[in-house]
Amino acid sequence: MKYPVLWAASALVAVTAVSGFATARQERSAPGVSLARDVVAAASAFETYTRGAGTISAAFRNGDGVAQALATGAAYQADQMDAGMVAYGAIAALQETAFIDGVRRAARDTPPEALIARLTENPESVIEIDGVGAAVSRAQAALLRRATPLGVAGRAVKQSAYDVQHQDWSKAPIADGAGRLARIKAMSAALFVPGDEDGGRLIQAATAPRDDTGTGAEGGAAFTPVTVRAAALAALAVLGAAGDDDVARLDAVMHEKKSGFCMKMAKLNLYQCLAVAGPHYEDVFCLGQHALIDTAQCVTEAAGGARVPAAPPMMTAAPRRAPGLFIPVGGTGAEVAAMSPVPGN
């Protein structure tokens, strides 16, 4: 599948739309690396979903509002989200100049082709590169910044599954429950395709100033399979081996078995919950627990954050049943926030 070509680097880059694709004019002084369209699409899918779902309000007023929130909360494809965590973390890792310098030194000490092959076949080998701790820590913090509001929203929504039962509309039966479940499954199978406006927003979010508050790591970076893969992908990008021509061999780097299984189980639990839900307040519970909390926990654990203690079980299934992208490196990404498209360039 082809995605729009998105380019973004610094304030020195002009982004314009030409025939439905984004192109760019980059000044030579703007440092950066290129990532493949599919990699960018995955990172953008992760950013877009977590940003949108993390702002879901728990103040439900009617069944239509629940349905709209459920559509937002379920709108991700599990495999793309798994890859998106790695890709998003890689963009963050690329802001660590010590790591970038370490990759370049490694490429001087080892033939670049051999280094690329090693990182591709064994992403964990990235831990041998100088500066990797800072890169992993940056990836971890970036991922946890996305997981935290998602979990907060999920817990608020789950609580509202009880609170709204005082309102008559919440106890009315869901119309066309089977059709609703089929629509959610269809949305969950669709890959996210970023638009021209998504590149700058992705860069701004992933390269935000580092904030170690609440990272969940004790004594430094959390070297998890996902954060290590993020660093490996970042290293490959620095080596010029993460572009469109490299997509086929990046698959082993972009996907991690445990985190991928977690995302798929969150979806399966959501489907099972919706399949047995009757009144609207049960859909609210399914949304809060399985679409939001479960997904947030997948991201948190993938990033090495602390697991949120589970509340005493009160319910089971439902309440009543108890493009190519030019990535700035070395911290230059903050400038993207001030960048706006320049028509005609």
Side-chain angles (χ1 to χ4, degrees):
M1 179 177 292
K2 295 294 184 181
Y3 297 102
V5 181
L6 300 174
W7 297 86
S10 72
L12 299 177
V13 178
V15 179
T16 60
V18 179
S19 300
F21 293 87
T23 60
R25 173 172 51 80
Q26 180 198 356
E27 303 297 339
R28 292 181 180 179
S29 60
V33 299
S34 294
L35 286 179
R37 290 173 175 86
D38 286 10
V39 175
V40 173
S44 189
F46 175 77
E47 187 277 329
T48 299
Y49 170 77
T50 53
R51 173 174 43 81
T55 60
I56 290 176
S57 171
F60 298 108
R61 297 289 180 265
N62 52 52
D64 288 342
V66 174
Q68 291 172 8
L70 183 58
T72 299
Y76 71 82
Q77 200 268 359
D79 284 336
Q80 192 178 40
M81 274 283 282
D82 177 37
M85 287 193 290
V86 175
Y88 190 85
I91 296 173
L94 284 166
Q95 307 314 300
E96 289 295 341
T97 55
F99 177 64
I100 295 168
D101 292 341
V103 173
R104 290 170 177 161
R105 284 195 299 273
R108 290 194 294 269
D109 297 337
T110 303
E113 295 79 8
L115 182 58
I116 291 169
R118 188 169 70 200
L119 288 168
T120 303
E121 297 167 6
N122 180 24
E124 291 78 9
S125 65
V126 74
I127 64 175
E128 301 170 5
I129 296 177
D130 292 341
V132 68
V136 164
S137 183
R138 175 85 73 155
Q140 178 195 27
L143 291 171
L144 291 177
R145 280 198 302 271
R146 309 311 306 177
T148 299
L150 191 62
V152 170
R155 289 188 289 276
V157 169
K158 181 178 177 180
Q159 178 59 45
S160 74
Y162 300 97
D163 298 338
V164 298
Q165 292 182 44
H166 298 293
Q167 303 173 33
D168 289 341
W169 67 265
S170 73
K171 291 174 278 191
I174 299 165
D176 189 22
R180 177 266 276 117
L181 177 57
R183 289 189 293 273
I184 292 299
K185 288 184 175 181
M187 292 175 58
S188 298
L191 292 173
F192 176 79
V193 180
D196 289 348
E197 73 282 359
D198 292 313
R201 186 171 57 225
L202 168 62
I203 296 299
Q204 181 180 354
T207 64
R210 179 173 166 175
D211 178 7
D212 293 325
T213 301
T215 61
E218 296 294 336
F223 286 80
T224 71
V226 168
T227 59
V228 166
R229 278 170 166 72
L233 178 60
L236 289 167
V238 173
L239 296 169
D244 284 335
D245 293 337
D246 306 293
V247 170
R249 65 180 180 181
L250 290 177
D251 191 66
V253 180
M254 296 284 293
H255 293 281
E256 196 279 313
K257 184 176 181 179
K258 182 178 179 181
S259 63
F261 179 75
C262 186
M263 290 289 182
K264 291 174 182 176
M265 284 304 299
K267 283 290 186 181
L268 178 60
N269 288 334
L270 175 63
Y271 300 156
Q272 292 177 337
C273 187
L274 294 175
V276 298
H280 291 293
Y281 68 78
E282 293 190 341
D283 263 10
V284 175
F285 171 80
C286 297
L287 167 63
Q289 179 62 58
H290 300 302
L292 302 180
I293 294 176
D294 288 2
T295 303
Q297 193 61 58
C298 289
V299 180
T300 299
E301 292 182 356
R307 183 174 182 86
V308 178
M314 297 179 65
M315 297 182 283
T316 53
R320 67 174 179 174
R321 282 175 266 279
L325 187 65
F326 193 81
I327 306 298
V329 299
T332 60
E335 300 173 4
V336 174
M339 183 180 67
S340 59
V342 180
N345 288 338

